[in-house]
Amino acid sequence: MIESKDHRRGLTAGQIRISNLFTGFMARQPAVGVDAVVLTKDGSELYVNINMLASTVSSILADQGLPPDWIGAIVDRNGTVVARSRDADRFVGKPATSENVERVRAGLRQGVFESISLDGVPTLLALSRSPGSGWSTIVAVPRSEITAAPWHSALYLAGAGGLLLTLGAMMAWLVGRSIADPVEGLGILAQRLGRGEPITVPASGLAEIERVGSALAAASMELQEREAALRTSEARLRATHENAAVGIAEVDREGRFISVNETRCKLTGHTREELIGRHFAHATEAGSLDHDLELFAKQVAGELDTYTTESQFRRKNGSSGWARVSSTALRDASGGFLHAVRVVEDITERRAADRRQKLLIDELNHRVKNTLATVQSLAWQSNRSGISPQMAQERFQERLLALSRTHNLLNETHWEGASLRTILETELGPYMTAPSRIGISGPDVQLAPKQAVVLGMAFHELATNAVKYGALSTSSGKVNVDWAIDGWDSGTVMTVDWCELGGPVVEREPSPGFGSRLLRQTITRELAGQLDMRFEREGACCTIKIPIGLPDQQAA
């Protein structure tokens, strides 16, 4: 079955057209083509083309019961024998007699003539042309059967010709009906195929119709299998799309959202309904918007297929974050832009971690430099104090250990700070041989790293001096450390009072040594504080005042 404007040209619904005789491409036998346009029940038109073997027409002609000696034949518009009641195998496909070929090609409608048949028998023949198909029906009677009643025989022959002409018309009608009903059935099958319904092909008796029906049934089954596979694939893709850990959105050439997944909705806190139809830049901060818009314009214009950028966005609740956006263009066969798929990854935590890491590295570099400078100062001061090298080495090692202890305290808090009480307990812990020997009192204060390092060194110097010359050098001496805070804002000042009691009597104020110089330099220069050192009769007293803020306001 072929549907083509060229083949059906000139045909209208209900009309049947019969071709001249030709040799079939597949069967390699003489055949004729029957064209028809069939009107289906729903009003649509179907063009049908069926090839019918000439032997089928000869069988129909042979079944008409002509006398054995008579010859019935049907010739096409070229004068070629299509069917013959006798010796069809010999003469079908060959031209009729030259006289009859001329009569047919001349368009003779009917007539009675004397002639000689193709097998050489003298005959009297009657010829009649069908106006619908253009074919001619010929009935030839041997002259030997014609007796003294010639007019009777001629009338008889003419009647037989008319009978054959009527028979040819009936045959054409039957062929048309045998085609129309199965073709209408094919139209119904095609409609079911379009609706995706299963197809069952009924027997029609026409091989061509049944082959087409089988092809439709096979196409229906394949289509159903593909649709099932497509539904499964779409379900998997939809599940992957909705449960992806990154935001996925499709935008049109104007940048408006076509579809978004749940993760993209959560990124800014909007619902799917709020996002569809909005521009992808609706939540992007102005500082990072221009670059994204410029790249997207190039992508729509075909200059870019993919691009990646980072942009700052603002959530529905007012908070902000950072996202890494990868945009990929989907194009049609000619390269035209269809839409873009934007994969959005929330990198807010990653950027914060990168920022913290950079701050930590910078802080570490700064602290290492400060520590090295402190160690260098300790070494220089120890060697220039006029004492023996052995004594200088011992003092240098003691001060390094004090510095190390403070660093250990800071490591425990990841260098976020250290408690003043903890620093004092660390430095004075070895001398707490009795509950009343060391007194520590004051509010909880969390010192910044730089403050903790400097005060740890200061308390070490004071404790070392008390052990060697002051209150902790006797069994009855004691040390009291009190501190107070004046306010809790950026102008806060902490005052620490160190006082020794019960030590050796101080007859006169000693000359300043390395420890005293170290205390004054670190407190005044490193912490911008004040140091008041007094030598009372029962021991040394020291008042330290330094400005402090909250721990996160302190610079190391």
Side-chain angles (χ1 to χ4, degrees):
M1 182 170 64
I2 302 172
E3 185 166 354
S4 167
K5 291 184 179 180
D6 292 338
H7 284 79
R8 65 169 290 178
R9 184 174 297 158
L11 277 179
T12 59
Q15 183 180 359
I16 298 175
R17 183 171 58 197
I18 302 176
S19 72
N20 291 322
L21 191 70
F22 62 91
T23 300
F25 178 76
M26 299 296 295
R28 298 294 180 183
Q29 296 183 34
V32 293
V34 180
D35 298 335
V37 174
V38 180
L39 190 65
T40 63
K41 292 182 178 179
D42 63 356
S44 60
E45 293 184 353
L46 290 177
Y47 167 73
V48 182
N49 171 262
I50 294 179
N51 295 333
M52 184 168 55
L53 294 178
S55 58
T56 302
V57 183
S58 295
S59 299
I60 297 174
L61 185 60
D63 291 338
Q64 302 312 307
L66 291 175
D69 293 334
W70 290 27
I71 301 173
I74 298 176
V75 297
D76 64 13
R77 291 180 295 276
N78 290 330
T80 304
V81 178
V82 176
R84 203 168 189 270
S85 61
R86 290 171 48 188
D87 300 324
D89 295 339
R90 291 176 55 193
F91 299 112
V92 169
K94 295 181 179 181
T97 62
S98 57
E99 298 88 349
N100 288 334
V101 170
E102 291 178 2
R103 295 176 183 127
V104 168
R105 291 181 178 178
L108 183 65
R109 299 188 62 181
Q110 62 184 6
V112 178
F113 313 95
E114 290 185 359
S115 179
I116 296 178
S117 66
L118 289 175
D119 47 1
V121 177
T123 62
L124 183 67
L125 64 84
L127 182 146
S128 179
R129 184 173 181 270
S130 171
S133 65
W135 287 6
S136 298
T137 304
I138 298 173
V139 176
V141 181
R143 291 185 194 175
S144 59
E145 293 193 11
I146 300 175
T147 59
W151 291 109
H152 177 77
S153 298
L155 291 174
Y156 181 74
L157 185 60
L163 176 63
L164 282 181
L165 182 59
T166 304
L167 180 63
M170 292 179 61
M171 180 185 69
W173 182 84
L174 290 174
V175 169
R177 287 315 314 161
S178 66
I179 294 173
D181 291 341
V183 167
E184 188 172 346
L186 286 180
I188 296 173
L189 293 181
Q191 292 172 353
R192 290 181 179 176
L193 177 64
R195 293 192 297 266
E197 299 176 358
I199 290 177
T200 301
V201 183
S204 65
L206 294 176
E208 291 83 355
I209 297 294
E210 292 181 357
R211 280 198 297 269
V212 173
S214 298
L216 289 176
S220 174
M221 183 175 296
E222 182 178 355
L223 183 60
Q224 290 177 6
E225 292 174 354
R226 290 184 179 181
E227 288 180 347
L230 181 60
R231 285 193 295 269
T232 302
S233 177
E234 287 179 345
R236 287 198 304 266
L237 181 60
R238 190 179 302 110
T240 302
H241 181 274
E242 285 301 317
N243 295 285
V246 294
I248 302 176
E250 294 180 357
V251 298
D252 61 16
R253 64 185 304 109
E254 302 299 329
R256 295 186 297 265
F257 288 115
I258 302 172
S259 69
V260 292
N261 70 345
E262 186 63 25
T263 304
R264 176 58 185 83
C265 294
K266 292 179 180 178
L267 182 71
T268 56
H270 294 84
T271 64
R272 199 183 307 268
E273 291 73 18
E274 290 175 328
L275 291 179
I276 299 301
R278 299 184 71 173
H279 197 278
F280 66 77
H282 73 103
T284 307
E285 296 286 5
S288 55
L289 177 59
D290 292 342
H291 184 57
D292 195 355
L293 292 178
E294 179 183 355
L295 292 175
F296 182 73
K298 291 182 178 180
Q299 190 173 63
V300 173
E303 300 176 21
L304 290 175
D305 284 331
T306 62
Y307 71 85
T308 301
T309 185
E310 293 186 1
S311 59
Q312 189 177 16
F313 65 89
R314 185 162 297 278
R315 300 182 180 91
K316 190 177 180 181
N317 60 10
S319 62
S320 62
W322 282 87
R324 183 176 187 270
V325 180
S326 298
S327 179
T328 302
L330 274 72
R331 306 186 187 279
D332 57 23
S334 61
F337 182 89
L338 294 175
H339 61 272
V341 178
R342 294 172 65 88
V343 178
V344 186
E345 179 185 2
D346 190 343
I347 59 171
T348 306
E349 289 299 325
R350 192 195 74 186
R351 287 180 65 96
D354 291 343
R355 185 172 61 253
R356 288 194 298 268
Q357 184 178 20
K358 184 178 183 303
L359 290 175
L360 286 174
I361 291 175
D362 294 343
E363 182 74 10
L364 179 61
N365 290 333
H366 181 64
R367 288 169 183 167
V368 168
K369 291 179 181 179
N370 286 347
T371 301
L372 290 176
T374 302
V375 172
Q376 183 181 17
S377 176
L378 290 175
W380 183 72
Q381 292 288 351
S382 298
N383 289 328
R384 67 183 293 272
S385 59
I387 61 177
S388 64
Q390 182 178 0
M391 181 63 69
Q393 182 179 2
E394 290 177 357
R395 290 183 178 179
F396 180 64
Q397 289 179 344
E398 289 174 357
R399 285 162 179 153
L400 283 181
L401 289 174
L403 184 63
S404 175
R405 286 193 293 270
T406 305
H407 274 242
N408 288 338
L409 291 176
L410 291 171
N411 285 336
E412 293 176 0
T413 62
H414 304 287
W415 280 81
E416 293 181 358
S419 167
L420 175 61
R421 183 181 297 277
T422 302
I423 295 174
L424 286 167
E425 290 175 349
T426 300
E427 294 297 335
L428 298 175
Y431 314 115
M432 293 181 182
T433 55
S436 61
R437 191 164 176 79
I438 303 295
I440 299 175
S441 65
D444 289 335
V445 179
Q446 190 76 10
L447 299 174
K450 185 175 183 178
Q451 297 167 348
V453 171
V454 172
L455 289 180
M457 293 291 297
F459 295 143
H460 170 75
E461 293 298 330
L462 290 172
T464 300
N465 187 72
V467 169
K468 291 183 177 181
Y469 311 111
L472 297 182
S473 65
T474 65
S475 60
S476 59
K478 62 180 182 179
V479 175
N480 287 331
V481 184
D482 301 318
W483 67 91
I485 303 298
D486 184 13
W488 283 100
D489 53 21
S490 59
T492 299
V493 176
M494 181 179 70
T495 302
V496 181
D497 288 318
W498 174 291
C499 190
E500 299 179 17
L501 300 173
V505 176
V506 180
E507 297 293 342
R508 61 184 177 86
E509 183 175 341
S511 58
F514 170 68
S516 298
R517 292 194 299 272
L518 179 65
L519 274 174
R520 192 168 301 279
Q521 289 178 1
T522 55
I523 295 299
T524 57
R525 295 182 183 179
E526 297 292 331
L527 300 183
Q530 299 176 4
L531 176 69
D532 181 18
M533 192 74 181
R534 306 180 307 278
F535 292 93
E536 305 291 345
R537 186 172 181 79
E538 294 187 23
C541 290
C542 178
T543 300
I544 300 173
K545 291 184 177 182
I546 60 172
I548 64 170
L550 298 177
D552 58 359
Q553 296 173 323
Q554 303 304 310

